[in-house]
Amino acid sequence: MSATPGRGVWVAPGRVNIIGEHTDYNDGYALPIALPQVVTCTAEVTTDGAVRVSSKQHAGQVRESLDGLAESAVTGWARYPLGVVHEYLRRGHELSGVVLEIDGTVPVGAGLSSSAALECAVALAIRDLFGIDADSAELIDIGRAAENSYVGAATGTLDQSASLLCTAGHALFLDFATGDSAQVPFDLAAAGLQLLVADTDTPHRLADGGYGRRRRECEQAAHALGVHSLRAVTDPAAAERLADPVLRRRARHVVTENARVLTVVGLLRDGCDPRAIGPLLTSAHASLRDDFEVSTPELDAAVAAALDAGAHGARMVGGGFGGSIIAVTDIDRTDSIASAIRRRFRDDGFSPPRFFVAVPAAGARRIS
């Protein structure tokens, strides 16, 4: 298809997952919110048969011919947008060439899905500029495929779904078995609460192997239990039948995490005091630490310090192996809880953490 020459600006947000980690690739449930922090993609159609990518956060420009993307040896951050372009080409869409200029405020490596935000901003830009007929479901799949096949990180679709589908003032209830989603009111401020994010400054790298290994272990556990995916297991006792202790722990996390998501969604939909979700977040952290084994000393220290200082609940967020935690705090205690985490990190010899308060924001969109 021929492209209409043009230029525009698109943004896609990072996300915080309230609850539901490592459930997406197990056909389970999750409940993310989009963040005000976004990746911005300024894109322009060209006719030179190449894709050129630059970023305000990185020096230089990457240029690859469209014909050579499949064999590209480019590594690092630029592989994500190149992967999105490659995925459009692989699906049979004709592109004449494009310039992609990237900027962003989503912290990189903090477990807040900066990579998916980048993928979604580029995917929207390519779709709109070249007039491609692709709905949100296909955009989500394009981002997932780029990250799985081109970058080499065996992630699910939680992050792309959150970046594209979230709305302001709501959490997004995702059912990965059916593809269904629903908006759930999430207004902590009305209850005198805030969602504190503490970035532990321990960057995680999902393509380094740990994430993919967990995914394979979940697949092995499902096979051993005779089910297509761990979503089919609803009784935690079923996981105890697994002879392999590692697979038993992995399955137990997924089964109990799905149950926690459903409980949190029920509480929020019923208009309960959001403080009630706090113990479920804390329970999720224990499960991620002990059964899924994706936490770190920094994440554990941040959670413990937040709880000791009066947080209603806290947990690591994202794929693990580094990144951030979230804590549900009373508005008048947020600063003191952040100070307690900061002191704990100083005492333990960790790098100083960074903080911000997360509010549910709008999903990806064109802004000019």
Side-chain angles (χ1 to χ4, degrees), residues 38 152 227 330 339:
V38 298
V227 295
D330 291 313
S339 295

Side-chain angles (χ1 to χ4, degrees), residues 70-279:
E71 291 79 34
S72 173
V74 170
T75 60
W77 75 271
R79 196 156 183 87
Y80 291 90
L82 293 180
V84 171
V85 175
H86 173 259
E87 189 60 24
Y88 271 109
L89 294 170
R90 196 189 66 79
R91 295 176 185 223
H93 300 294
E94 295 182 13
L95 310 179
S96 60
V98 67
V99 175
L100 304 171
E101 300 170 355
I102 307 300
D103 193 6
T105 57
V106 183
V108 176
L112 303 175
S113 195
S114 59
S115 58
L118 174 55
E119 293 155 7
C120 292
V122 173
L124 270 180
I126 297 295
R127 184 195 68 177
D128 292 352
L129 283 179
F130 289 91
I132 295 170
D133 184 14
D135 61 11
S136 294
E138 184 168 3
L139 293 177
I140 290 166
D141 193 58
I142 286 170
R144 176 207 56 79
E147 190 148 352
N148 290 180
S149 301
Y150 204 76
V151 177
T155 59
T157 59
L158 187 158
D159 298 342
Q160 294 86 0
S161 298
S163 191
L164 285 162
L165 301 178
C166 278
T167 61
H170 296 82
L172 181 70
F173 177 40
L174 292 165
D175 182 335
F176 295 102
T178 65
D180 293 338
S181 64
Q183 305 294 332
V184 178
F186 191 71
D187 186 0
L188 294 185
L193 298 170
Q194 290 181 319
L195 189 69
L196 177 66
V197 179
D199 175 3
T200 65
D201 194 32
T202 50
H204 70 162
R205 297 174 179 85
L206 296 185
D208 282 355
Y211 193 103
R213 186 162 56 252
R214 296 303 185 280
R215 183 166 185 162
R216 290 190 297 273
E217 289 164 349
C218 289
E219 292 169 352
Q220 293 165 7
H223 179 75
L225 290 170
V227 295
H228 174 69
S229 70
L230 291 177
R231 160 65 174 273
V233 182
T234 57
D235 183 358
E240 304 306 318
R241 299 200 302 266
L242 290 165
D244 186 308
V246 172
L247 300 188
R248 190 186 315 140
R249 291 195 298 272
R250 304 300 186 254
R252 185 166 56 213
H253 166 71
V254 174
V255 174
T256 58
E257 186 79 344
N258 279 328
R260 283 186 286 269
V261 175
L262 294 176
T263 301
V264 168
V265 170
L267 289 169
L268 294 174
R269 282 177 167 167
D270 289 345
C272 295
D273 186 334
R275 291 169 179 82
I277 75 173

